[in-house]
Amino acid sequence: EWIQRQATQRDVVIVFLAGHGINDVVTGNYYYLPHDANMEAVKRTMIPGSEIHSTLAKLTGTRLLFMDTCHAGNVTGTATRGLPDMQQFLQDLKEGGQGLVVITSSRPGQKSQEHPSWNNGAFTKALVEGLRGKATQDRPRLAQTYQTAAHNTPVVNALTKCPQAPA
């Protein structure tokens, strides 16, 4: 609600969610699990991916959603793969364009890997490394964030030995 009230057409909204996610076995819908999630009360204690996606889709301005959970690629309810064209993305921003970019740690049917030595999931580890400069140098901050997302795929593949594919 805060983001809905505060975000304007001139803002860049970046939302990062890491934790656990499931696909409901009956409906196939994605749910983000908060700390108090109850598997016996999915609709009452979990956040539907459709709610996350529709909230961001209704905002004005440029929006980026990074999700590091199992089945994160199902948050939009559509299975898309890969990053949008970087040149077009930056051109749209330059021209005052708006849009929503969703970058996830895994495809709809995949689990996201984590390991205690990483202190995070593989996707988050790669994202943090990229933001600290491993993805790119001397670029505008938003372009750096985008390049960091592109950096994630090979890093996640190396960490997980490829059972997980960022989308």
Side-chain angles (χ1 to χ4, degrees):
E1 292 172 344
W2 172 82
I3 289 174
Q4 288 176 316
R5 284 191 307 272
Q6 298 296 318
T8 70
Q9 184 174 344
R10 300 177 70 171
D11 290 323
V12 175
V13 175
I14 301 174
V15 175
F16 172 81
L17 294 172
H20 298 285
I22 63 165
N23 286 330
D24 185 284
V25 293
V26 175
T27 65
N29 295 332
Y30 171 86
Y31 288 89
Y32 180 77
L33 283 66
H35 72 91
D36 59 351
N38 179 343
M39 295 303 287
E40 304 300 319
V42 172
K43 290 183 179 179
R44 191 167 38 88
T45 65
M46 298 180 195
I47 303 167
S50 59
E51 181 70 22
I52 296 167
H53 184 255
S54 69
T55 298
L56 291 173
K58 291 175 187 171
L59 298 177
T60 60
T62 301
R63 292 130 305 143
L64 292 113
L65 171 62
F66 292 90
M67 290 203 62
D68 188 359
T69 73
C70 291
H71 314 292
N74 197 23
V75 70
T76 65
T78 60
T80 57
R81 181 173 178 206
L83 294 171
D85 179 85
M86 177 61 169
Q87 294 302 325
Q88 186 62 50
F89 178 70
L90 292 175
Q91 185 63 35
D92 289 348
L93 286 178
K94 183 178 176 185
E95 294 172 1
Q98 301 178 25
L100 171 60
V101 176
V102 179
I103 303 168
T104 64
S105 63
S106 57
R107 295 187 187 157
Q110 292 181 322
K111 293 189 175 188
S112 291
Q113 307 290 313
E114 57 184 276
H115 193 276
S117 68
W118 304 335
N119 284 332
N120 290 299
F123 179 83
T124 299
K125 177 179 173 43
L127 187 62
V128 170
E129 285 178 358
L131 289 171
R132 288 186 175 154
K134 284 192 176 183
T136 184
Q137 299 289 334
D138 302 321
R139 295 193 184 249
R141 187 51 128 177
L142 190 57
Q144 181 179 350
T145 302
Y146 188 95
Q147 287 301 112
T148 296
H151 166 81
N152 274 12
T153 298
V155 174
V156 169
N157 288 342
L159 289 169
T160 65
K161 309 296 186 255
C162 296
Q164 175 181 336

